[in-house]
C-alpha cells in the first residue's frame, strides 16, 4: 500500500513581497518587471550564499526556507541592504521596496513545496513589516537575538488575518539605527541625557538605593554634598568602632557649621563686602 502519510519538518521560512506592486505595475509595467527580475536574481544569490533554497516565486513574492534561523535573518538583512544599494545609484522615482517576514515553524512537505501554518505566519509577518523592513516571529527572536549584530523592537501581539495573535519583532537595520542616532543627535543635551537615563533604566531595572543617594547628592552644591558625605562617613566609623561611646556629633557639628557659614557669606550682597566708594 502506498504511504500517504504527510511529511513534516521544522524549518525557517522567509517570505518577501514587493510593497505596492500593483501601483508600480500600473505606473510602468516593463520597468517594474525588469526591476523585479533583477532583484529576484540578487535575492536568489543571497539565499544560496546562506545555505537556503527558493521554494516558490509566485507573483511578486519570494518564499525561501533555511535550515539555520541565524542564516535566514542574516540573509534578510543583506537582501534589504542589497536592494537599498542598487537603488542608491540611479535614484528611481518609484523605488521598489520589499517587506520580509521570517518564521520558525512546522511545515508540511509536498515534493519541493512546503505548506502549513509555518508558511502562513511568515506571510502574515511580512504584511506587518515596513517597506524595506524585516519582521520576525518570537520563535525566531528566541534563537537569534544574542547572535546577530542588529537590534530588535518588540511589536507586541498584532492581529493577523486567519492567524492567532503572536508576538513579533522588527529587525532594526543599519539605516534605521543610523536614523535613530541622528534624531538623538538633534535633540538637546537634556533630552539626550533623559533618553540615556531611560535606556540605562531599561537595561538595569529599578535604581538601587545607592544610585538614588548619588543622584540626590549630585543635585546639591558641592560643599554641602562633600560635608554630608564626610559626616555620614564619620557616623559609620563611630557606629562600627564602638556605638557605646558617641563622639561623631562634635566633628559633624563643626563641619555643618562651617558649611552653613560659608554658604551665608557666599550669598552676601556684593555691596556689603565692598562698601561705598
Amino acid at each position: 500500500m502506498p504511504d500517504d502519510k504527510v511529511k513534516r519538518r521544522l524549518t525557517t521560512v522567509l517570505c518577501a513581497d514587493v510593497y505596492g506592486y500593483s501601483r508600480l505595475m500600473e505606473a510602468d509595467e516593463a520597468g517594474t518587471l525588469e526591476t523585479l527580475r533583477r532583484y529576484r536574481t540578487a535575492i536568489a544569490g543571497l539565499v544560496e550564499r546562506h545555505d537556503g533554497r527558493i521554494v516558490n516565486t509566485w507573483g511578486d513574492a519570494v518564499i525561501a526556507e533555511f535550515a539555520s534561523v541565524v542564516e535566514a535573518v542574516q540573509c534578510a538583512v543583506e537582501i534589504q541592504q542589497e536592494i537599498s544599494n542598487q537603488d542608491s545609484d540611479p535614484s528611481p522615482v518609484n523605488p521598489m521596496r520589499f517587506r520580509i517576514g521570517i518564521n520558525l515553524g512546522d511545515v508540511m512537505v509536498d515534493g519541493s513545496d512546503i505548506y502549513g501554518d509555518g508558511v502562513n505566519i511568515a506571510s502574515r509577518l511580512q504584511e506587518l513589516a515596513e517597506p524595506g523592513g524585516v519582521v520576525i516571529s518570537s520563535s525566531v527572536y528566541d534563537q537569534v537575538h544574542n547572535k546577530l549584530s542588529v537590534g530588535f523592537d518588540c511589536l507586541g501581539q498584532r492581529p493577523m488575518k486567519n492567524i492567532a495573535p503572536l508576538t513579533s519583532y522588527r529587525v532594526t537595520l543599519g539605516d534605521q539605527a543610523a536614523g535613530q542616532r541622528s534624531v538623538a543627535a538633534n535633540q538637546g543635551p537634556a533630552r539626550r541625557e533623559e533618553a540615556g537615563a531611560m535606556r540605562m533604566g531599561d537595561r538595569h531595572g529599578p535604581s538601587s538605593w545607592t544610585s538614588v543617594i548619588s543622584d540626590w547628592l549630585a543635585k546639591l552644591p558641592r560643599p554641602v554634598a562633600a560635608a554630608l558625605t564626610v559626616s555620614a562617613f564619620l557616623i559609620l566609623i563611630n557606629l562600627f568602632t564602638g556605638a557605646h561611646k558617641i563622639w561623631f556629633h562634635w566633628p559633624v557639628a563643626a563641619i555643618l557649621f562651617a558649611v552653613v557659614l560659608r554658604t551665608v557669606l557666599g550669598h552676601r550682597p556684593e555691596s556689603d563686602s565692598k562698601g561705598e566708594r
Side-chain angles (χ1 to χ4, degrees):
M1 296 180 61
D3 186 5
D4 294 333
K5 183 179 179 181
V6 176
K7 295 182 179 179
R8 292 181 174 271
R9 66 165 171 258
L10 184 67
T11 190
T12 308
V13 182
L14 180 152
C15 179
D17 192 85
V18 177
Y19 176 75
Y21 180 70
S22 299
R23 173 179 52 83
L24 295 174
M25 287 294 288
E26 182 179 358
D28 181 7
E29 285 186 348
T32 298
L33 183 57
E34 180 184 355
T35 303
L36 180 61
R37 287 173 175 171
R38 185 172 74 250
Y39 286 160
R40 277 182 172 172
T41 300
I43 291 173
L46 290 170
V47 169
E48 183 179 0
R49 182 188 305 174
H50 288 277
D51 298 325
R53 75 175 185 95
I54 300 292
V55 176
N56 211 321
T57 57
W58 65 75
D60 58 310
V62 175
I63 304 294
E65 71 165 337
F66 299 79
S68 167
V69 189
V70 175
E71 293 293 338
V73 177
Q74 186 63 46
C75 180
V77 172
E78 293 182 11
I79 287 173
Q80 299 293 27
Q81 291 173 343
E82 176 64 22
I83 292 174
S84 178
N85 292 337
Q86 289 192 21
D87 277 346
S88 64
D89 295 333
S91 239
V93 178
N94 295 316
M96 182 178 291
R97 290 287 182 265
F98 281 81
R99 298 182 298 179
I100 298 179
I102 304 177
N103 178 52
L104 171 64
D106 188 80
V107 299
M108 298 182 294
V109 181
D110 182 14
S112 60
D113 289 334
I114 54 178
Y115 303 92
D117 282 345
V119 180
N120 296 336
I121 291 174
S123 178
R124 295 293 180 254
L125 291 171
Q126 168 269 133
E127 296 173 356
L128 298 179
E130 300 172 352
V134 179
V135 171
I136 63 176
S137 63
S138 57
S139 59
V140 173
Y141 173 81
D142 292 340
Q143 298 294 325
V144 305
H145 72 275
N146 59 350
K147 297 183 178 70
L148 294 172
S149 57
V150 294
F152 301 92
D153 296 329
C154 182
L155 301 179
Q157 291 190 346
R158 299 287 186 88
M160 294 183 290
K161 184 178 179 181
N162 300 327
I163 298 292
L166 76 162
T167 304
S168 58
Y169 295 81
R170 176 175 56 237
V171 179
T172 305
L173 306 180
D175 53 347
Q176 294 172 338
Q180 293 174 357
R181 288 193 296 268
S182 176
V183 171
N186 292 330
Q187 294 176 341
R191 292 294 301 276
R192 288 200 298 269
E193 291 178 1
E194 180 181 355
M198 292 177 63
R199 287 194 297 269
M200 292 296 291
D202 292 341
R203 185 178 301 118
H204 299 293
S207 301
S208 62
W209 64 272
T210 55
S211 63
V212 172
I213 294 176
S214 299
D215 293 340
W216 178 69
L217 290 174
K219 298 177 182 178
L220 297 175
R222 185 172 298 178
V224 176
L228 292 177
T229 303
V230 173
S231 299
F233 184 66
L234 292 174
I235 293 173
L236 290 175
I237 291 178
N238 191 172
L239 294 177
F240 284 109
T241 57
H244 60 279
K245 183 177 181 182
I246 303 300
W247 53 261
F248 69 83
H249 53 283
W250 293 115
V252 168
I255 292 172
L256 296 179
F257 176 76
V259 171
V260 171
L261 185 63
R262 177 176 178 180
T263 303
V264 171
L265 293 177
H267 288 83
R268 187 174 60 177
E270 186 178 357
S271 58
D272 293 343
S273 60
K274 291 186 177 179
E276 296 180 359
R277 294 186 178 178

